[in-house]
Amino acid sequence: MGQKVELACIIDDDKIYVNLVRKIIEIKKLSENLLIFKNGKEALDYFQLIMGNMTEDKLPDIIFLDLNMPVMDGWEFLSEFIKIKNNFEKKITLYVVSSSIDPRDLERAKSFNMVTDYLIKPIELKKFEKIFEKNNAA
Amino acid sequence: MLNDLQLNSILEDFDIAYWKVNLFSKKLSWSDHFSALVGKPGTNEPFEYFLKEILHPDYRYDFRLYFDKLTSQNEPFSLELKLKLNNGKYRWFECRNLKNKDHSNRETAVLLFVNIHQAKRDQYTIEENFFYYHETAEMTSTGGWYVDTLHKNIYWDNVTKKIVNCPIDYQPAYEERLKFYAPEHHQRVLSSFEKCEKYGIPFKIELKMLSLHNKEFWVRATGKPVYNEEQEIIGIRGVYQDIDENKTNELNLQNSLDIIATQNSRLFNFAHVVSHHLRSHSSNLSLIVELLKEAKTEADKLELLPNVVDIADNLDTAISQLNEIVNKQSLLSKNRRIIKFEDALSGVMASTSSLINRENAKIVAEFNALEEISYISEYLESILLNLITNAIKYKHPGRKPVIYIQTYIENDKEYLEISDNGMGIDLDQYGDKMFGMYKTFHSNPEAKGIGLFITKNQVETLGGSISVTSTVDVGTTFKIKF
């Protein structure tokens, strides 16, 4: 086993979903800490703040990004995040997580290099564990 | 002088057969060529045999009559008739008696049978072709025309005159030739005719023409250059085909197609939104089920219960929202009627009075320029309701909401404008998503993201459009074109 995921990040406006994922991560001890943002704007503000302070230890190892959110949706977040991502040395794995099964969304997500995979909700527990394991191994 | 043999051979070469008739005995003898054409008479009575077997029944009566007159009064005759040949087919012949210049030789008459089948057939073909041409021209409303570019003259045939709805004796003037085309197509007509006249380029274009009484109609105009022997262009010949009915149908069809395409894409969008929205709740349920399986103690299980309650509530809300949308969409069958804006607004204000009072909202309405409209009243009230509650929901935190509503007419179109002094929205960022479903731009817990979607649908369903202008911290204006 590689090192354990220190910090995971969820960007999602669905409170129930976030609660449940938080529980899974707790029960399975998948990550030490968890960052939660309820839309793209809040997450982006956070990353811009880190960029200013260069406090890289506050950067997540893994991001789960929802698409459909108010204020700033997942797509807008992606196109903004691309612009600042190279300022960080740390490798950040990003998964798009959505309940949309629209093939156009899938295609569009794959067109971003930084998107590791497109996960369709609901994500099974085992899948969650695998994703974290894979990230550890990397 | 030719002898009989030579004469015979000449006659045969020209496919001319003959009878010799003895005027006294009424006996007749057939030339060899005649026998060769129709066969030898089967009886001793060649005349009766001829009438019965060779001559087409239609001509029996006439032929007997003429023949009797010839033999009794030596009266000359000429008759076109059909004979049945050896091969059983009828052919056209002209039958006439050879003129007897020599009065001494009066006991014999000669009847010539000249094969005129080809000529007769050509004549029929021409008549037939003319008939078909005429019928086709009439049936397809295709009129011919000729422009004499040398002498600056225009010639129209009768069908063209009929298409243009002018009298048969009407003579179009060259100088006025453009007045039969719709003004917006003048340029196209001029350039097509000019290219044809100067460079010999044929054309086939669809045009709007004007009848003599200025009624618009669509034609397909085809034109080709006419050359003289020196290969110079001396005119343009062509046809107008009246395609007004087709063109109108085509335009209507295109129109319906556009409407269907819009509705289809709206439906498609709707289906995806529905599936997405319902899926997000069902996927949460699946997650809970998985967690329940993992839960080790009763307490862990009980802890999950409130989530199930939340999901059930959310699912219920989502479904009733979708239901609301479908209900509003299906009002289509309702009829338009004249509605006073004042009445619609007071209805809406009555039903939102608690919200208006709570927020101390001020609503100013100005309907003098356009007091009423033919619309579906439920739609108009729903539009007003959505935009007014929207304006109040997204009020500026530091101001009391003021909503200004006005109607007016501009370029013969009816407009409704609703402006507020609210928080505004950054249209560069959200403009294109404004009217989408479940698009919310503020972290406002009351935002459901279906109001503007419904409003846009209602406006578009009745053939109108809605647009928005906004400035952050200043306010928003929605403009509806009915």
Side-chain angles (χ1 to χ4, degrees), chain B residues 427-439:
Chain B
L427 288 174
D428 289 339
Q429 202 174 348
Y430 302 113
D432 52 333
K433 296 180 188 161
M434 196 84 184
F435 298 101
M437 212 173 158
Y438 296 121
K439 301 289 182 198

Side-chain angles (χ1 to χ4, degrees), chain A residues 37-117:
Chain A
F37 303 105
K38 63 174 186 287
N39 63 54
K41 182 84 174 66
E42 285 186 8
L44 191 69
D45 287 347
Y46 176 83
F47 286 114
Q48 275 164 344
L49 195 72
I50 288 183
M51 196 173 68
N53 298 339
M54 290 312 288
T55 44
E56 292 232 348
D57 56 324
K58 296 268 174 38
L59 279 176
D61 305 274
I62 186 165
I63 298 176
F64 296 99
L65 174 68
D66 183 26
L67 289 178
N68 219 338
M69 292 177 287
V71 185
M72 180 187 269
D73 66 20
W75 302 121
E76 288 166 296
F77 174 79
L78 273 176
S79 50
E80 291 300 319
F81 190 58
I82 280 176
K83 294 179 199 161
I84 59 168
K85 178 176 141 315
N86 288 334
N87 293 307
F88 306 131
E89 277 175 33
K90 185 167 181 176
K91 184 182 178 300
I92 303 172
T93 317
L94 189 147
Y95 288 92
V96 167
V97 185
S98 171
S99 54
S100 165
I101 47 173
D102 189 338
R104 289 172 299 187
D105 285 341
L106 207 121
E107 278 305 305
R108 192 170 162 198
K110 294 241 160 108
S111 72
F112 288 91
N113 266 334
M114 59 186 290
V115 174
T116 305
D117 202 357

Side-chain angles (χ1 to χ4, degrees), chain B residues 341 373 375 380 383 413-416 463-465 480-482:
Chain B
F341 283 105
I373 188 170
Y375 219 65
L380 187 61
I383 291 165
K413 299 277 180 203
E414 297 160 315
Y415 289 92
L416 167 69
S465 60
I480 293 168
K481 187 169 112 181
F482 290 108

Side-chain angles (χ1 to χ4, degrees), chain A residues 14 16-21 23-24 27-28 38-39 41-42 66 68-73 76 98-104 120-126 128, chain B residues 268-269 272 275-277 279-288 290-291 294-296 300 303-304 307 310-311 314 429-430 433 437-443:
Chain A
D14 182 346
I16 297 174
Y17 164 81
V18 171
N19 268 338
L20 295 173
V21 173
K23 253 198 180 74
I24 292 173
I27 292 172
K28 297 285 174 186
K38 63 174 186 287
N39 63 54
K41 182 84 174 66
E42 285 186 8
D66 183 26
N68 219 338
M69 292 177 287
V71 185
M72 180 187 269
D73 66 20
E76 288 166 296
S98 171
S99 54
S100 165
I101 47 173
D102 189 338
R104 289 172 299 187
I120 294 172
K121 290 181 188 174
I123 310 170
E124 289 167 33
L125 246 64
K126 287 200 175 65
F128 252 118
Chain B
F268 196 66
N269 181 38
H272 263 299
S275 104
H276 174 261
H277 206 59
R279 274 183 57 84
S280 62
H281 301 298
S282 70
S283 73
N284 281 342
L285 259 183
S286 320
L287 262 185
I288 289 195
E290 286 215 48
L291 277 170
E294 292 284 317
K296 303 221 164 43
D300 284 349
E303 206 185 318
L304 288 166
N307 286 313
D310 285 347
I311 293 171
N314 290 348
Q429 202 174 348
Y430 302 113
K433 296 180 188 161
M437 212 173 158
Y438 296 121
K439 301 289 182 198
T440 48
F441 310 102
H442 311 272
S443 316

